[in-house]
Amino acid sequence: MHIRTTLAALALALPLVQPAQASSLSDFLGKAMENPDLVNSVVGAVQNTIDANRTIGPKEEKTLGDGMAANLLGAAPLVNNAGLQSYVNQVGRWVASQSEAPNLDWRFGVIDSPNVNSFATPGGVVLITRGLMDRLRNESELAGVLGHEITHVLRHHVTRAAQSGKGREAVANALQGVAQYKTDDARRQLGANVLSGVSEVYVRGLDKDDEFEADVTGMVLAARAGYNPYALVSVLQTLGEINPSDSSVQLMFSTHPSPQARLDYIDRNVGSKLEKYAGGVENTGRFRAATGR
């Protein structure tokens, strides 16, 4: 990762403004639930990801990502709170607008899971769990978490993982004997198996360097958006205080470097370089209104 290049390219932090009302994932989820063939529709895109030497285009990434998002939403639906979903989309889209891909079809949502975690899928879907949302203390911490996940999308981390050993073996196994799948039900099951295989990426985790890059670049995006970039440090400190044996963090701790390792990396590579942006926005009335805190 080119930390110096990333920090050198940091634009002057912009004043926080209210972006246009952003749609949540509700429409997408409704379509996914109404269309049982959605998972089957991404089989072709997933088959292509098996070729590690092939570049996956934006449309294929979006198709693959929508299928993965549908799989995640099938396991944990969106929290039934339209105000919260709209708010997280507002913050997420504003942070994403500071990136090199502001016009990507960014969609953000809070899923109803007590676990502490967050996920990004290729193409621009970012999901944060209710368990993590409940532990965030202000809007700048939310912006830091979303900036981290936005970076995974920007750097194609999940797509690369699906093309590597992390997802490749599971997907290949699911596609073995594809000629046997003659009926609609069988093909639908194949689609589900393929998506399940690709979703192993979330169970096995990304490379630690990808997580470190997402932390640093996420801080840069938060600073550009007018937030205190060091709020992500506060989030990691909060995570570090949770007992590792707590079931709510077991998946996250098994798929990410430890909070302390991430803090150490930030200290070595960022240090005080973003200090002049530390006076950025931290809390807002809309955070309190959306979360009740």
Side-chain angles (χ1 to χ4, degrees), residues 77-116:
L78 291 171
V79 170
N80 186 21
N81 184 329
L84 177 65
Q85 302 296 349
S86 177
Y87 165 68
V88 172
N89 269 273
Q90 288 179 338
V91 176
R93 296 227 178 161
W94 173 239
V95 175
S97 74
Q98 312 305 313
S99 75
E100 64 268 33
N103 297 321
L104 202 64
D105 186 18
W106 294 104
R107 288 162 289 169
F108 300 82
V110 182
I111 57 176
D112 198 2
S113 168
N115 293 330
V116 176

Side-chain angles (χ1 to χ4, degrees), residues 164-222:
S164 72
K166 285 186 171 63
R168 192 176 194 174
E169 181 179 354
V171 174
N173 288 340
L175 290 174
Q176 282 181 356
V178 65
Q180 302 173 25
Y181 294 85
K182 301 294 186 182
T183 67
D184 288 343
D185 286 343
R187 284 193 294 270
R188 188 175 300 118
Q189 184 58 50
L190 171 62
N193 290 345
V194 169
L195 285 180
S196 177
V198 175
S199 293
E200 282 293 306
V201 170
Y202 298 117
V203 175
R204 301 185 188 191
L206 300 172
D207 290 338
K208 66 177 182 179
D209 287 343
D210 290 346
E211 298 295 351
F212 291 146
E213 179 179 21
D215 282 340
V216 173
T217 306
M219 291 177 68
V220 170
L221 291 175

